[in-house]
Amino acid sequence: AIKEIYAPSESVQIAAVEKDGVALAYIPNPSEKVQLAAMKHSGKAIQFIYNKNIIPSEAVQIAAVKQNKSALEFIPPNLLSEEVKLAAVRADGDALVYLTNPSLHVQLEAVKSTPFSIKHITNPSLHVQLAAVEKDGCAIMHIKKPSEEVCIEAVKQHPMAIGSIARPSFNV
């Protein structure tokens, strides 16, 4: 185990974290190369970088959230760039659950990736609602008081979506 080796070389560190990203916990000052190798195995291993009072680069953060959306819970909100947020929701739209007040762009990318992720957005804009139902009409079940336009688009995309509309108008 890496914790038993005194001053392991970078190649030994990389071999260790490629086998198990948690090995990062036992490396006192990991290089960015080692950090990236760890994130490919376990995005949640990013917590071990922050535990060392090291701020990982944006590239390391992106690798972490692409590997596992819940890595977001270990990245301080003030250090989350728009690019990291976009990488997270593009990999899994449900990453929205870890984001506070995501931008319109992040919301749109999330529903394009995972239409049902609209359930994590408080008061989604008409644009976001339409993007969700155009991808999967059944996402309408997670929209409170959808407009007639949204209802029509949902049913166009998936006729069975009409069952999720409380009072469909004649036009739907």
Side-chain angles (χ1 to χ4, degrees):
I2 189 92
K3 65 182 179 179
E4 305 297 327
I5 301 170
Y6 176 76
S9 67
E10 184 177 64
S11 60
V12 170
Q13 292 176 23
I14 289 171
V17 299
E18 283 177 343
K19 200 165 199 62
D20 184 357
V22 176
L24 194 59
Y26 304 104
I27 301 171
N29 194 17
S31 68
E32 182 171 31
K33 195 172 177 182
V34 172
Q35 292 173 35
L36 284 167
M39 295 312 107
K40 287 179 183 162
H41 181 272
S42 173
K44 289 177 83 171
I46 199 164
Q47 67 187 298
F48 301 117
I49 300 170
Y50 285 105
N51 287 350
K52 298 170 187 354
N53 291 319
I54 298 170
I55 297 175
S57 70
E58 185 175 69
V60 171
Q61 292 178 20
I62 288 172
V65 301
K66 280 182 170 179
Q67 198 282 327
N68 187 332
K69 70 180 178 236
S70 53
L72 286 166
E73 60 187 324
F74 301 107
I75 303 172
N78 62 319
L79 297 178
L80 271 175
S81 70
E82 188 79 354
E83 286 308 310
V84 173
K85 293 173 186 178
L86 287 168
V89 299
R90 285 176 180 147
D92 184 344
D94 285 327
L96 278 177
V97 77
Y98 297 103
L99 302 175
T100 306
N101 299 319
S103 69
L104 178 61
H105 189 202
V106 170
Q107 291 176 30
L108 282 168
E109 289 298 318
V111 299
K112 286 178 187 173
S113 157
T114 312
F116 279 53
S117 67
I118 197 163
K119 67 186 169 195
H120 304 298
I121 303 171
T122 307
N123 300 319
S125 70
L126 176 63
H127 194 55
V128 172
Q129 291 178 36
L130 286 169
V133 299
E134 286 169 359
K135 188 85 171 168
D136 186 338
C138 291
I140 198 163
M141 71 176 66
H142 297 292
I143 301 172
K144 294 177 184 148
K145 299 181 183 175
S147 69
E148 184 173 25
E149 181 182 3
V150 172
C151 293
I152 290 168
E153 284 304 316
V155 173
K156 273 187 200 173
Q157 197 286 325
H158 196 295
M160 296 303 289
I162 199 162
S164 297
I165 301 170
R167 291 188 183 95
S169 73
F170 180 73
N171 296 328
V172 175

